[in-house]
Amino acid sequence: MFAIIGMVVVLGAVIGGYLMEHGNLSVLFQPAEVVIIGGAALGSLLISAPLKVVIDIFKNLVGVLTGKDPEKKDYVEILMVLYDLLGMARREGVIAIESHVNAPDKSTIFSRFPSVLKNHEVRDFICDNFKTFMAAGMEPHELEALMDIDLESHHAHAMHSPHYLNRTADSLPGLGIVAAVLGIVLTMGKISEPPEVLGHSIGAALVGTFLGILACYGFLGPLAANMENKAKTKDAMLRVVRAAMIAFALGWPPPMALEAARRAIPSGERPSFEEVEEILKQARKQG
């Protein structure tokens, strides 16, 4: 939602300032320039990026425009899933959670926390690492190394979309110049026309440069930065799980493992120690 608000602010400021100087909006309406710049940008993206990355870019754009950033309650639900799984493993042995991590969609633990169940990256990271830990009986440092490999792979994949979108954004000013040059070429064919005709034609050509720069720095560049932030947020959520699992593998009791996970939550969304204590008290009463 804030991305859409930001785009409206960009357009409002640019067009509002133009109108304050008594500019004519009809001059800015140049469909041919949009086709040249937009089509060339899309083509350059298709040339540079694999098809799967292109599809991911459009999916992530929808997520940027319509999705919301994780809130404190989303992190709390991750903590509660971990607490329930670790508590069960502590009381009944690690094998007791096998049914939950093998089929999270049918798990009574995961079903109580829908945001975790819907978050495939977090859910799969929890389940895969618990299954590996159960099957291999790994040492804590071995589990940590394995999770770090997984995190690096997740992060590298998540960064593909913003990387290629940012490269496309960087090409837009140059493509705007291409559109402007084509407009000047057309204007040279009208060199015998009156000055007002030439002035209109030159102005239309310069719109190409304007659109390329505006699209780069006002839209695609910021959208790529937003995608990058979302990728870092997903990475932070996985690191919460990593902290809890390493602590548990080291033999820490579930409440202490949960405290390690809490401290891995970014400060803006991190619940206080007292908040987590109160949540755990309520969970024990319900249990």
Side-chain angles (χ1 to χ4, degrees):
M1 178 59 72
F2 280 106
I4 295 176
I5 294 173
M7 294 169 74
V8 171
V9 170
V10 170
L11 283 175
V14 172
I15 294 175
Y18 180 71
L19 292 176
M20 286 173 65
E21 293 295 328
H22 310 290
N24 184 355
L25 281 179
S26 64
V27 177
L28 299 181
F29 183 70
Q30 302 293 337
E33 305 279 338
V34 175
V35 171
I36 293 170
I37 298 170
L42 179 60
S44 67
L45 176 62
L46 293 174
I47 292 170
S48 63
L51 179 60
K52 188 177 185 305
V53 173
V54 175
I55 294 172
D56 285 342
I57 287 174
F58 285 103
K59 286 181 179 178
N60 289 330
L61 281 174
V62 173
V64 166
L65 297 175
T66 62
K68 64 182 184 69
D69 293 329
E71 300 173 349
K72 182 186 291 187
K73 65 180 182 64
D74 298 312
Y75 284 99
V76 167
E77 289 202 357
I78 294 175
L79 294 180
M80 295 310 299
V81 168
L82 292 170
Y83 181 74
D84 286 353
L85 291 172
L86 296 176
M88 181 178 290
R90 183 84 168 189
R91 292 188 308 270
E92 306 172 27
V94 178
I95 198 67
I97 65 172
E98 183 176 11
S99 61
H100 296 281
V101 297
N102 283 338
D105 293 331
K106 301 176 182 177
S107 166
T108 55
I109 292 177
F110 282 95
S111 62
R112 296 204 308 273
F113 306 102
S115 69
V116 179
L117 192 60
K118 293 176 183 176
N119 191 327
H120 292 269
E121 289 93 347
V122 173
R123 184 196 67 190
D124 292 346
F125 190 73
I126 293 172
C127 294
D128 289 348
N129 285 295
F130 266 116
K131 285 187 280 189
T132 304
F133 184 67
M134 287 187 297
M138 306 175 76
E139 293 294 326
H141 69 276
E142 294 173 328
L143 180 63
E144 182 178 7
L146 184 64
M147 285 192 288
D148 285 343
I149 293 171
D150 202 356
L151 284 170
E152 289 176 11
S153 176
H154 272 286
H155 185 69
H157 180 266
M159 292 302 291
H160 284 160
S161 293
H163 170 71
Y164 282 102
L165 185 62
N166 198 51
R167 290 180 67 174
T168 302
D170 289 342
S171 72
L172 285 171
L175 295 175
I177 293 174
V178 170
V181 169
L182 291 176
I184 295 298
V185 170
L186 293 174
T187 301
M188 296 305 291
K190 305 174 184 177
I191 197 67
S192 61
E193 298 289 336
E196 58 270 17
V197 175
L198 291 175
H200 178 81
S201 185
I202 293 172
L206 291 175
V207 168
T209 304
F210 159 74
L211 291 176
I213 295 173
L214 177 63
C216 172
Y217 297 109
F219 296 101
L220 259 65
L223 286 170
N226 194 312
M227 281 187 191
E228 186 174 342
N229 287 332
K230 286 189 177 297
K232 291 178 179 178
T233 299
K234 289 180 181 178
D235 185 69
M237 298 181 88
L238 298 181
R239 289 186 180 278
V240 172
V241 178
R242 173 187 179 275
M245 291 202 64
I246 292 174
F248 182 73
L250 287 168
W252 294 15
M256 290 301 298
L258 206 66
E259 175 60 14
R262 184 188 74 84
R263 297 193 182 197
I265 297 174
S267 58
E269 292 78 31
R270 183 188 301 167
S272 67
F273 183 88
E274 290 74 17
E275 285 177 304
V276 174
E277 280 290 302
E278 184 59 31
I279 292 168
L280 293 182
K281 286 179 183 178
Q282 295 296 327
R284 293 187 191 107
K285 288 178 181 179
Q286 293 174 3

